[in-house]
Structures are given as structure tokens and as C-alpha cells.
């Protein structure tokens, strides 16, 4: 693992780019995810980092390209870093680098798509999946990916919707933007264990 030398704030950042690349490539080869919080997108932030750590933060475009090449997920803030890490600890590895998104809100579905698309693919479901979703939604919401399933998230139809998306070979994983009662959580857990 990459280790930071010392414990002072001066040692923040990537000091040995070659070592960082080697460690990240090995993690990618082993299927071990890396999540990084890299600050300094704006000129003002880069100036602040320079005065705080006496080191440059590096070109943001170069860092983004490097992270993408090495399969590193970039967190936008400290909370997101912790949330992504917690999710990776609990989640099963994806079969492929694509996701199906299911939400009971069009706005949440759009927001999840914005967050997911830079990291994983958000492909269109198979025609059979779209037809199955459309039969359930009957013209309400969105029978695609992301799937806005409206109030169906609180009904037994959720079981069928989850199974349709899980069974579709287009997706390696499932991202849910739902809130509801314990019954809904039990349905999701049952589908995940299935």
C-alpha cells in the first residue's frame, strides 16, 4: 500500500507519482477499488493548497485523466469519500462496469445518473426489460435507465422491477434512489440475496 511519510500537513498529496501509479495499477489488476479525495480544482483552491502545504496540487485535468485511466473513483468531498468507501465495503463487486438506476423520483434518478455516468456506464436496458417496466408503470415515470418507478416503489411491483433490472445482462450492478418503509427495505434485501 502507498504510505504517507510523516504525520505533518506538509506531507499531504502524491509525492511519488511513479509509486502511486504502480500501486494503483496493481489495485486495478486485483479488482481492489481506490477512492481518492483530491482537492484544488479552482485557482483559488490551488493557491490555498500551496500556502497550506507548500506543494502544488497538480493540474486537475491531468489528475482526472490519471484517475480515470487507473480506475480510481474521485470523491468530491469528505462526506462522499466516506460514503463511497462504506458502500464499497458492503457491496458485491459489479459483474461489469455498468449500472441500472431505479428511483421513485425523476429528479433523484437524474441526479444519480449525473453521479454515476462519469464512473460507470448507464446503458439502455434490453427491449424485454423496457417492455416489462412499461407494463408495470403503464405510461407513468420512465421505463428505461434510469427508471423512475414513481409510487410503484411502495408496492409489490418493486419485486418485479428489481428482478427485471437484475436479470438484464446490460447491467453489472444496481443503484437505488428510494425511501420508504421497512417493507420496501425487506423487498430490496430479498432481491439482493436472490
Amino acid at each position: 500500500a502507498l504510505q504517507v511519510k510523516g504525520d505533518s500537513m506538509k506531507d499531504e498529496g502524491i509525492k511519488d507519482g511513479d509509486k502511486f501509479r504502480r500501486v494503483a495499477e496493481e489495485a486495478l489488476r486485483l479488482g481492489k477499488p481506490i477512492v481518492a479525495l483530491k482537492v484544488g480544482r479552482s485557482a483559488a483552491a490551488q493557491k490555498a493548497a500551496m500556502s497550506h502545504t507548500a506543494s502544488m496540487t497538480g493540474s486537475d485535468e491531468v489528475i482526472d485523466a490519471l484517475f480515470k485511466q487507473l480506475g480510481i473513483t474521485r470523491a468530491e468531498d469528505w462526506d462522499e469519500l466516506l460514503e463511497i468507501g462504506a458502500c464499497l465495503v458492503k457491496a458485491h463487486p459489479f459483474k461489469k462496469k455498468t449500472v441500472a438506476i431505479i428511483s421513485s423520483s425523476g429528479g433523484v434518478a437524474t441526479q444519480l445518473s449525473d453521479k454515476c455516468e462519469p464512473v460507470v456506464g448507464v446503458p439502455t436496458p434490453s427491449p424485454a426489460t423496457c417492455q416489462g417496466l412499461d407494463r408495470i408503470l403503464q405510461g407513468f415515470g420512465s421505463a428505461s435507465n434510469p427508471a423512475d418507478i414513481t409510487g410503484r416503489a411502495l408496492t409489490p411491483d418493486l419485486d418485479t422491477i428489481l428482478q427485471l433490472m437484475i436479470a438484464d445482462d446490460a447491467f453489472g450492478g444496481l443503484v437505488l434512489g428510494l425511501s420508504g418503509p421497512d417493507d420496501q427495505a425487506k423487498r430490496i434485501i430479498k432481491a439482493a440475496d436472490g
Side-chain angles (χ1 to χ4, degrees):
L2 183 65
Q3 296 179 357
V4 176
K5 298 174 187 168
D7 60 354
S8 71
M9 295 301 280
K10 187 176 178 185
D11 289 328
E12 292 175 350
I14 300 170
K15 299 294 184 197
D16 185 340
D18 290 334
K19 183 176 182 180
F20 180 82
R21 178 182 279 282
R22 285 192 310 273
V23 169
E25 286 171 343
E26 181 68 6
L28 184 61
R29 188 184 67 75
L30 294 172
K32 303 289 184 184
I34 295 177
V35 182
L37 175 60
K38 191 275 183 194
V39 297
R41 286 189 189 270
S42 67
Q46 289 182 4
K47 183 178 176 184
M50 180 65 166
S51 68
H52 178 65
T53 65
S55 63
M56 293 299 291
T57 58
S59 165
D60 208 56
E61 293 81 17
V62 170
I63 294 294
D64 277 344
L66 177 67
F67 282 8
K68 186 173 185 175
Q69 182 182 41
L70 297 174
I72 297 171
T73 300
R74 183 173 181 173
E76 296 297 320
D77 56 43
W78 184 251
D79 289 336
E80 191 173 269
L81 177 75
L82 296 176
E83 289 173 11
I84 293 169
C87 180
L88 290 171
V89 167
K90 295 174 186 174
H92 301 290
F94 287 175
K95 296 178 283 186
K96 59 176 74 168
K97 210 170 173 176
T98 59
V99 295
I101 298 170
I102 299 174
S103 178
S104 56
S105 159
V108 171
T110 302
Q111 187 176 31
L112 288 170
S113 296
D114 286 345
K115 286 291 189 179
C116 290
E117 204 157 22
V119 181
V120 294
V122 183
T124 302
S126 70
T129 300
C130 289
Q131 290 168 0
L133 291 171
D134 196 43
R135 274 193 301 275
I136 295 167
L137 298 176
Q138 299 176 3
F140 293 99
S142 171
S144 189
N145 188 27
D148 173 6
I149 64 171
T150 67
R152 300 289 186 200
L154 300 172
T155 72
D157 287 334
L158 178 61
D159 299 338
T160 307
I161 292 167
L162 291 169
Q163 289 308 315
L164 282 167
M165 295 301 232
I166 289 169
D168 194 320
D169 287 335
F171 310 120
L174 196 58
V175 174
L176 305 176
L178 304 170
S179 63
D182 289 348
D183 181 58
Q184 183 187 62
K186 288 175 185 172
R187 291 178 190 285
I188 294 167
I189 292 167
K190 182 180 176 186
D193 289 342

